[in-house]
């Protein structure tokens, strides 16, 4: 046991004395979440919109003014027919089109109800969602302005349509996606590199020459990374919750347990990589190309799996992160329990056993 | 009967098409300081790694302290200390941290075996909080040796511990080995420096995966039975050419300031040589009969092999 | 012995707080075999890098083949050859491909390259393996070829960085014969080594310890000065003057 403790302590020394890597490890989740959070979601200023005003009365002019003077939007052009809508979206500059019904003011005064259509380009779902939210709240406050001193309630009914990606699949998805990418990175990549480093500088040779069992070496090497990855997951969850309001609707305990399962899976993957390489460089390359890219591209983190061509969808089944993201999504966004994703959990357990089995089989008790 | 520290029989090891060990037979009695001497690629590292149970032999047998290197590797690992050719400690850990780590790996403490490493460790103790990566070559070797000794091994395997280290540290290192031998530890050490042979009790000269000779340094030198001459002249290159084309020449090798020369005639030919060289217009001629060094023997043995 | 070809005056190189080379002063004459001795980490490699124009000195002056090491590095590189133990020939090219490549780098004409190639192959007795990959050749052969390639453009000076470490004793001597021949033909040879006995092959030796040149003379005089029988002993006595060996 003392052996084990000494080894874990030594591993922590390595980590904490390598300042650059440490900064990257802890800085990365923060930078990433800010990037995905702010740059993609909230940084909306002067978004280009187009207006199709079929009514052109005093109220539509006032509302348009209010929308355009909010600071969030900038007028790209006025449209004159429905046919032009498709075209402006295609050009890509315009992110949203506001369409007033015919006889807007008249209907509002007569029926106390009028319609505004808001069309958004949802290829970038985060932006679309935010734009819609802003527009709706402007319309809402306009409605209250009008209602002031008016006995009968007036309703301007915004009719919202998302174009190109109607279900807004990945709005809150970036947090679960980010968690899996970062856990993968720390667990698989850092472990494989750190074991490869021992081989490269020759310390593995000295360790093998000692009576220490290979399993002891591996387990004690892996523990610090488990702790590191786990604390990183918590940092991301906290940031997501505090800064962007990403909810955790389900059980927090379950979420953490599933995270540990995923980390252990990734660690066993890292060990497997390290058994087939002898240099840090190769380990890095295999982790990046073989793990990180598929995890980012095929797990549904950035591109929805359903929209992929069939062969890629099949490959995505082999990406552990895909299953983990499904689990996280269920817990965080839908608030469901283990009954709804025991299959995904079992798949992760399966991956873990498979990788561990392979690494134990491949691990050499000798140099050559 | 196996009270030998090391015994190998027809040991072979190959890497792809390269035969690193071509049937090595070796017997090392316990308590010996045994040297394996040969150039790079001769098979020194393969031999040591095989004995240290880090490499599987392809053929033949080997045992260390009576344990088979394949079947009983675990027993050997408990009783041996090993120092690889490269400095293989954690560069980002301090001297003390490295030592502590290796003590815990072997489930012991520094205090328990301090008597063994005391003489060595005291020399680096003033720097015990310095990172191992920042030590000089000589100090690194001392630390590595301390780490290899911390569990009180019965046998030490040292792969080229003195290569590239300055001469002062090399001397000190051999003094330490001498002390350890006195404490009853068997030591197998490899080196590319021929002049270190004389510091061993027994040496094996190795070349191309084959042992050329196993003997005490004195006997190796004694077995060189041709008269050897050291010759010097002002124009060394011309001297070399002239000696090589001399019809009685047996072997001609540059050797530092001198050229080492053997003659086919086998008699004392100092005067003949002087005359010959004078006739060839050499100046500053010096011809002396000398005792061979281990390196002369090594070259003679290499020549025999071809 | 002719004129001075390398001259260094209080040459230093400092990396941050670490002084790798500390005010070294020496000169080397034309066609001399100059040994540059020191343990690993003594500053040999840094010194050689400054002299070959690969690294700019922190202070001091030096001239190599008549050119300044600060601002005439291109001229220096044209007039020197360089061979190191670790990197000199491409392992995945054949013998002739390596020769042709290096001859090409130094701008030898096509006919001259052909001439040189056959000359080298014959001299080093590589006829049978001229189309074999370098990595299939024994270390000793490679080193000899690497040296010949390093002087293929008839440089004024050739720098050899640990050229014979680990080579077997016979090949090592064949290598030294090549060096003697080159010096005989007028090429200055600058050799670094940590083999103390190797130093005795040189005309003059400088001994470097911790970035400084501690001693500089012919092997014979150094041995006399320190009352030693080998260079190894000279080094030990120099480093520990008060102790008995």
């Amino acid at each position: 046991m003392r052996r084990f403790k000494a080894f874990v302590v030594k591993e922590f020394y390595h980590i904490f004395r390598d300042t650059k890597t440490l900064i990257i490890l802890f800085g990365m989740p923060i930078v990433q979440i800010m990037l995905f959070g702010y740059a993609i979601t909230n940084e909306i200023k002067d978004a280009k919109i187009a207006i199709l005003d079929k009514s052109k009365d005093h109220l539509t002019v006032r509302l348009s003014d209010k929308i355009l003077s909010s600071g969030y939007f900038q007028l790209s052009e006025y449209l004159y027919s429905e046919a032009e809508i498709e075209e402006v979206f295609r050009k890509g500059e315009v992110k949203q089109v506001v369409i007033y019904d015919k006889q807007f003011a008249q209907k509002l005064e007569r029926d106390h109800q009028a319609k505004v259509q808001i069309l958004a380009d949802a290829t970038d779902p985060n932006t679309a969602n935010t734009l819609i939210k802003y527009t709706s709240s402007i319309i809402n406050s306009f409605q209250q302005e009008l209602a002031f001193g008016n006995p009968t309630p007036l309703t301007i009914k915004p009719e919202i349509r998302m174009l190109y990606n109607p279900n807004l699949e990945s709005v809150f998805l970036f947090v679960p996606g980010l968690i899996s990418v970062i856990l993968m990175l720390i667990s698989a990549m850092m472990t494989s590199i750190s074991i490869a480093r021992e081989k490269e500088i020759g310390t593995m040779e000295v360790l093998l020459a000692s009576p220490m069992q290979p399993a002891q070496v591996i387990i004690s090497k892996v523990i610090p990374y488990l702790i590191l990855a786990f604390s990183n997951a918590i940092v991301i969850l906290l940031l997501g919750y505090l800064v962007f309001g990403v909810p955790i609707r389900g059980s927090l305990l379950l979420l953490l347990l599933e995270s540990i399962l995923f980390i252990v899976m990734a660690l066993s993957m890292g060990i497997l990589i390290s058994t087939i390489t002898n240099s840090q460089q190769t380990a890095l390359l295999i982790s990046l190309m073989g793990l990180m890219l598929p995890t980012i591209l095929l797990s549904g983190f950035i591109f929805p799996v359903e929209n992929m061509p069939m062969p890629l969808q099949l490959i995505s089944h082999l990406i552990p992160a895909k299953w983990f993201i499904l689990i996280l999504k269920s817990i965080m966004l839908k608030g469901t329990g283990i009954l709804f994703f025991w299959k995904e959990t079992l798949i992760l357990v399966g991956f873990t056993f498979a990788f561990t089995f392979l690494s134990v089989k491949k691990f050499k008790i000798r140099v050559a | 009967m196996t009270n030998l520290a090391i015994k190998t029989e027809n040991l072979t090891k190959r890497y792809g098409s390269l035969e690193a060990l071509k049937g090595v037979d070796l017997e090392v009695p316990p308590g010996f300081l045994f040297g394996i001497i040969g150039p790079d690629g001769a098979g020194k590292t393969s031999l040591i790694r095989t004995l240290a149970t880090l490499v599987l032999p392809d053929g033949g047998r080997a045992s260390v302290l009576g344990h088979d290197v394949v079947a009983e590797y675990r027993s050997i690992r408990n009783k041996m200390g090993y120092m690889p050719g490269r400095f293989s400690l954690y560069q980002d850990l301090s001297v003390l941290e490295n030592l502590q780590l290796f003590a815990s790996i072997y489930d012991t403490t520094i205090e328990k075996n301090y008597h063994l490493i005391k003489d060595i460790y005291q020399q680096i103790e003033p720097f015990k909080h310095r990172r191992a990566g920042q030590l000089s070559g000589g100090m690194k070797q001392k630390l590595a040796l301390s780490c290899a000794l911390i569990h009180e091994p019965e046998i030490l395997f040292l792969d080229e511990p003195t290569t590239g280290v300055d001469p002062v540290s090399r001397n000190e290192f051999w003094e330490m080995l001498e002390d350890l031998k006195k404490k009853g530890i068997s030591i197998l050490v490899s080196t590319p420096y021929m002049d270190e042979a004389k510091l061993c009790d027994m040496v094996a000269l190795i070349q191309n995966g084959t042992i050329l000779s196993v003997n005490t340094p004195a006997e190796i030198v004694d077995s060189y039975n041709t008269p050897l001459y050291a010759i010097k002249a002002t124009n060394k290159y011309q001297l070399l050419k002239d000696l090589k084309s001399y019809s009685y020449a047996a072997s001609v090798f540059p050797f530092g300031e001198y050229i080492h020369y053997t003659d086919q005639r086998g008699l004392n030919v100092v005067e003949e040589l002087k005359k010959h060289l004078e006739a060839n217009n050499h100046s500053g001629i010096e011809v002396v009969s000398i005792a061979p060094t281990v390196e002369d023997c090594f070259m003679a043995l290499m020549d025999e092999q071809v | 012995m002719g004129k001075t070809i390398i001259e260094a005056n209080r040459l230093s190189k400092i990396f941050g707080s670490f002084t790798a080379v500390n005010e070294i002063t020496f000169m080397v004459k034309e066609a001399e075999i100059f040994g540059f001795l020191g343990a690993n980490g003594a500053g040999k490699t840094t010194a050689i890098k400054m002299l070959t124009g690969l690294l700019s000195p922190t202070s001091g002056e030096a001239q190599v083949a008549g050119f300044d090491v600060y601002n005439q590095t291109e001229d220096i590189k044209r007039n020197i050859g360089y061979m190191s133990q670790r990197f000199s020939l491409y392992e995945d090219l054949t013998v002739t491909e390596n020769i042709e490549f290096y001859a090409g780098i130094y701008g030898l004409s096509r006919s001259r390259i052909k001439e040189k190639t056959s000359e080298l192959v014959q001299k080093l007795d590589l006829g049978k393996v001229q189309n074999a990959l370098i990595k299939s050749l024994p270390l000793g052969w490679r080193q000899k070829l690497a040296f010949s390639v390093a002087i293929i453009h008839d440089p004024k000076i050739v720098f050899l960085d640990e050229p014979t470490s680990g080579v077997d004793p016979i090949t090592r001597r064949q290598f030294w014969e090549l060096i003697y021949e080159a010096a005989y033909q007028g090429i200055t040879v600058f050799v670094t080594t940590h083999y103390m006995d190797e130093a005795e092959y040189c005309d003059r030796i400088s001994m470097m310890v911790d970035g400084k040149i501690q001693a500089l003379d012919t092997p014979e005089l150094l041995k006399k000065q320190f009352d030693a029988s080998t260079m190894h002993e000279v080094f030990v006595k120099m480093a520990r003057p008060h102790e008995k060996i």
Side-chain angles (χ1 to χ4, degrees):
Chain A
M1 198 58 208
R2 208 183 50 231
R3 228 180 239 188
F4 188 69
K5 203 179 120 199
F7 215 90
V8 173
V9 167
K10 160 230 160 216
E11 207 56 41
F12 270 115
Y13 281 149
H14 290 320
I15 296 171
F16 287 119
R17 285 181 187 170
D18 187 0
T19 335
K20 274 182 225 152
T21 313
L22 196 67
I23 291 175
I24 293 173
L25 281 186
F26 275 97
M28 193 176 49
I30 298 172
V31 170
Q32 297 262 36
I33 203 163
M34 292 300 164
L35 264 179
F36 279 95
Y38 274 116
I40 300 171
T41 322
N42 283 3
E43 191 63 31
I44 287 166
K45 236 174 90 188
D46 297 337
K48 295 251 166 67
I49 62 168
I51 295 174
L52 172 56
D53 192 344
K54 296 181 191 162
S55 179
K56 294 203 179 81
D57 53 50
H58 66 283
L59 285 183
T60 59
V61 172
R62 258 177 77 188
L63 181 52
S64 293
D65 264 358
K66 197 171 166 65
I67 291 173
L68 292 175
S69 60
S70 68
Y72 299 123
F73 305 104
Q74 198 186 12
L75 182 68
S76 168
E77 57 189 296
Y78 281 108
L79 305 180
Y80 300 99
S81 75
E82 307 251 353
E84 289 173 273
I85 296 173
E86 182 81 19
E87 203 184 317
V88 290
F89 274 130
R90 281 272 160 86
K91 279 194 225 147
E93 275 222 320
V94 168
K95 298 292 173 209
Q96 177 178 279
V97 175
V98 178
I99 305 163
Y100 299 106
D101 241 6
K102 276 182 191 154
Q103 301 164 325
F104 185 85
Q106 262 177 314
K107 279 184 185 164
L108 199 60
E109 276 153 22
R110 195 183 58 213
D111 308 336
H112 308 294
Q113 205 176 43
K115 264 201 294 186
V116 184
Q117 262 195 78
I118 307 167
L119 304 183
D121 175 358
T123 43
D124 177 353
N126 294 330
T127 312
N129 201 39
T130 318
L131 290 178
I132 300 266
K133 258 197 282 179
Y134 289 163
T135 318
S136 315
S137 74
I138 293 169
I139 292 173
N140 210 22
S141 82
F142 182 67
Q143 185 183 298
Q144 279 167 5
E145 256 172 53
L146 289 182
F148 191 72
N150 199 326
T152 36
L154 297 173
T155 321
I156 301 174
K157 216 170 133 197
E159 205 173 77
I160 294 162
R161 268 180 63 206
M162 293 289 182
L163 297 182
Y164 312 116
N165 183 8
N167 298 330
L168 286 183
E169 269 290 336
S170 50
V171 179
F172 277 137
L173 209 58
F174 75 91
V175 169
L178 204 58
I179 291 179
S180 37
V181 168
I182 284 174
L183 293 190
M184 198 71 169
L185 190 78
I186 295 176
S187 313
M189 193 161 110
M190 298 311 289
T191 341
S192 64
I193 289 177
S194 99
I195 296 179
R197 188 197 297 135
E198 297 235 12
K199 288 191 188 177
E200 210 174 287
I201 58 175
T203 42
M204 192 51 98
E205 201 176 332
V206 181
L207 294 180
L208 286 177
S210 80
M212 207 156 164
Q213 304 269 359
Q216 284 178 307
V217 177
I218 296 296
I219 293 172
S220 39
K221 263 202 102 61
V222 143
I223 283 187
Y225 291 101
L226 190 126
I227 297 174
L228 208 63
F230 189 68
S231 51
N232 248 317
I234 291 175
V235 168
I236 303 173
L237 282 176
L238 273 177
L239 276 176
Y241 178 72
L242 294 176
V243 182
F244 301 105
V246 180
I248 300 170
R249 300 201 173 98
S251 151
L252 183 63
L253 181 70
L254 187 60
L255 179 72
L256 296 182
L257 286 176
E258 292 279 357
S259 302
I260 291 177
L261 173 64
F262 184 70
I263 294 170
V264 172
M265 192 285 311
L267 289 173
S268 58
M269 225 166 166
I271 296 167
L272 183 62
I273 292 176
S274 73
T275 59
I276 52 174
T277 124
N278 283 321
S279 78
Q280 295 183 67
Q281 243 181 357
T282 331
L284 181 72
L285 209 68
I286 295 180
S287 315
L288 273 182
M289 303 306 285
L291 294 184
M292 296 315 293
L293 278 184
T295 301
I296 293 173
L297 299 178
L298 297 178
S299 66
F301 171 31
I302 292 181
F303 308 112
V305 176
E306 303 83 66
N307 297 356
M308 287 175 198
M310 205 52 199
L312 285 186
Q313 285 199 34
L314 288 178
I315 294 175
S316 78
H317 291 322
L318 296 174
I319 310 290
K322 177 197 151 162
W323 307 106
F324 184 55
I325 290 179
L326 286 177
I327 295 172
L328 286 181
K329 230 169 82 182
S330 302
I331 302 180
M332 294 172 69
L333 307 179
K334 296 185 192 150
T336 49
I338 185 84
L339 282 178
F340 291 84
F341 45 79
W342 60 271
K343 266 191 239 158
E344 285 83 353
T345 310
L346 272 187
I347 291 173
L348 286 186
V349 172
F351 274 121
T352 312
F353 277 113
F355 290 133
T356 313
F357 176 74
L358 282 176
S359 357
V360 168
K361 252 191 108 173
K362 288 222 135 201
F363 194 85
K364 297 188 189 90
I365 52 162
R366 292 189 167 84
V367 176
Chain B
M1 79 140 254
T2 43
N3 54 359
L4 286 172
I6 296 168
K7 182 175 168 63
T8 75
E9 280 171 87
N10 198 24
L11 196 66
T12 58
K13 175 72 198 170
R14 58 172 74 240
Y15 298 99
S17 63
L18 179 84
E19 272 187 284
L21 297 176
K22 301 174 187 163
V24 169
D25 292 307
L26 208 61
E27 290 191 359
V28 180
F32 266 54
L33 174 50
F34 192 95
I36 298 175
I37 298 182
D40 286 6
K44 300 189 298 287
T45 300
S46 298
L47 180 56
I48 289 196
R49 281 183 164 179
T50 310
L51 294 173
T53 75
L54 292 167
V55 157
L56 280 177
D58 289 316
R61 264 192 304 197
S63 63
V64 173
L65 303 169
H67 302 288
D68 186 80
V69 293
V70 180
E72 301 169 289
Y73 74 95
R74 210 151 269 288
S75 324
I76 299 177
R77 287 184 187 182
N78 268 311
K79 294 180 186 170
M80 70 170 193
Y82 171 63
M83 220 175 117
R86 281 180 304 162
F87 177 68
S88 299
L89 295 177
Y90 296 98
Q91 315 248 1
D92 54 347
L93 298 189
S94 73
V95 169
L96 190 62
E97 285 162 355
N98 265 299
L99 199 56
Q100 270 164 349
L101 176 71
F102 281 95
S104 352
I105 285 177
Y106 286 95
D107 220 359
T108 179
T109 58
I110 299 179
E111 295 73 35
K112 209 160 139 194
N113 289 316
Y114 192 70
H115 62 278
L116 253 182
I117 59 162
K118 191 178 151 209
D119 296 335
I120 305 163
Y121 184 62
Q122 273 177 346
Q123 302 176 45
I124 47 173
E125 206 165 12
F127 314 101
K128 65 180 178 189
H129 294 301
R130 195 184 282 189
R131 302 265 167 98
Q134 286 155 9
L135 296 175
S136 72
M139 288 204 280
K140 277 181 182 164
Q141 295 306 69
K142 283 169 197 161
L143 174 58
L145 186 60
S146 302
C147 289
L149 280 171
I150 194 69
H151 60 293
E152 214 177 349
E154 291 172 41
I155 188 164
L156 262 183
F157 294 110
L158 310 171
D159 193 7
E160 298 203 22
T162 53
T163 300
V165 178
D166 69 272
V168 179
S169 305
R170 266 167 66 188
N171 279 7
E172 287 173 357
F173 198 84
W174 280 99
E175 283 162 22
M176 289 182 243
L177 295 189
E178 195 58 40
D179 287 342
L180 289 172
K181 194 189 84 181
K182 282 183 196 138
K183 289 176 179 151
I185 301 175
S186 307
I187 303 171
L188 186 77
V189 56
S190 72
T191 175
Y193 299 109
M194 304 276 160
D195 55 345
E196 288 182 344
K198 60 177 185 288
L199 303 167
C200 305
D201 296 329
M202 226 177 160
V203 293
L205 303 182
I206 185 169
Q207 164 73 2
N208 279 332
T210 312
I211 304 273
L212 300 175
S213 166
V214 184
N215 229 323
T216 64
E219 280 169 42
I220 284 186
V221 172
D222 280 348
S223 64
Y224 190 94
N225 43 25
T226 340
L228 183 68
Y229 304 94
I231 305 176
K232 193 178 180 180
T234 317
N235 188 337
K236 208 197 256 178
Y237 183 62
Q238 195 58 45
L239 176 67
L240 191 63
K241 285 217 287 199
D242 289 345
L243 284 175
K244 281 201 156 181
S245 56
Y246 189 37
S247 49
Y248 297 110
S251 74
V252 181
F253 290 119
F255 219 102
E257 297 171 71
Y258 292 87
I259 288 171
H260 283 192
Y261 170 89
T262 57
D263 197 279
Q264 292 167 1
R265 288 168 289 188
L267 308 156
N268 190 330
V269 290
V270 172
E271 290 312 314
E272 284 89 337
L273 284 170
K274 278 187 180 162
K275 266 181 221 148
H276 174 73
L277 293 176
E278 272 161 13
N280 280 286
N281 296 321
H282 278 282
S283 59
I285 301 168
E286 198 184 310
V287 181
V288 276
S289 182
I290 55 158
T293 64
V294 171
E295 196 162 355
D296 290 302
C297 304
F298 195 99
M299 288 192 285
L301 289 166
M302 270 179 80
D303 252 357
E304 271 173 34
Q305 266 227 317
V306 176
Chain C
M1 286 275 163
K3 55 183 188 192
T4 302
I5 192 139
I6 301 178
E7 190 164 15
N9 193 4
R10 305 183 64 167
L11 197 65
S12 295
K13 181 71 194 181
I14 300 169
F15 297 105
S17 62
F18 173 66
T19 307
V21 172
N22 193 353
E23 301 203 336
I24 55 171
T25 300
F26 65 92
M27 58 143 189
V28 181
K29 286 185 193 140
E30 202 164 49
E32 189 175 21
I33 300 174
F34 189 82
F36 209 61
L37 238 76
N40 289 348
K44 295 181 309 239
T45 306
T46 309
I48 251 198
K49 277 188 178 159
M50 288 194 282
L51 295 175
T52 50
L54 296 175
L55 197 64
S56 191
T58 308
S59 65
E61 297 155 26
Q63 248 121 43
V64 175
F67 300 106
D68 186 73
V69 292
Y70 285 95
N71 46 38
Q72 293 177 299
T73 54
E74 289 313 307
D75 297 297
I76 291 178
K77 286 178 191 168
R78 246 190 301 282
N79 283 287
I80 61 167
Y82 178 75
M83 171 198 162
S84 86
Q85 184 207 355
R86 275 165 301 244
F87 177 81
S88 36
L89 297 175
Y90 290 96
E91 299 213 326
D92 51 352
L93 297 186
T94 67
V95 171
T96 44
E97 282 163 353
N98 264 295
I99 300 176
E100 282 162 8
F101 170 72
Y102 278 102
I105 285 186
Y106 286 102
L108 268 64
S109 69
R110 199 176 279 244
S111 58
R112 186 96 178 95
I113 292 178
K114 230 177 170 177
E115 200 179 300
K116 273 278 182 189
T117 307
S118 60
E119 184 190 315
L120 274 188
V121 166
Q122 205 189 348
K123 182 172 151 197
L124 298 175
D125 201 14
L126 295 172
K128 279 187 195 144
V129 293
Q130 58 179 317
N131 292 319
L133 296 184
I134 291 295
K135 63 180 165 201
S136 68
L137 300 185
L139 179 67
W141 295 23
R142 285 190 231 176
Q143 295 298 85
K144 283 189 277 182
L145 178 61
F147 176 73
S148 307
V149 164
I151 56 169
I152 201 160
H153 56 298
D154 300 316
K156 291 190 176 137
I157 310 165
V158 62
F159 288 88
L160 308 174
D161 195 2
E162 303 272 356
T164 63
S165 4
V167 183
D168 73 74
I170 292 185
T171 311
R172 197 162 134 206
R173 283 168 175 81
Q174 293 168 343
F175 192 88
W176 273 100
E177 286 173 26
L178 289 176
I179 293 181
Y180 287 148
E181 187 190 352
Y184 185 73
Q185 289 163 353
I187 297 177
T188 307
V189 184
F190 190 102
V191 197
T192 70
T193 179
H194 63 255
Y195 277 81
M196 295 298 145
D197 55 344
E198 188 125 302
E200 302 187 27
Y201 292 78
C202 302
D203 295 325
R204 281 195 309 144
I205 321 166
S206 75
M207 296 189 122
M208 206 163 175
V209 180
D210 293 337
K212 280 188 181 160
I213 290 184
Q214 296 283 14
L216 198 167
D217 217 322
T218 64
E220 201 180 352
L221 289 174
L222 279 174
K223 281 191 276 187
K224 213 172 268 172
Q225 185 191 335
F226 286 93
D227 188 25
S229 62
T230 62
M231 288 311 296
H232 183 93
E233 220 177 299
V234 169
F235 191 99
V236 172
K237 287 193 173 172
M238 187 181 74
R240 289 196 297 197
H242 310 299
E243 287 175 51
K244 267 196 212 160
I245 306 301

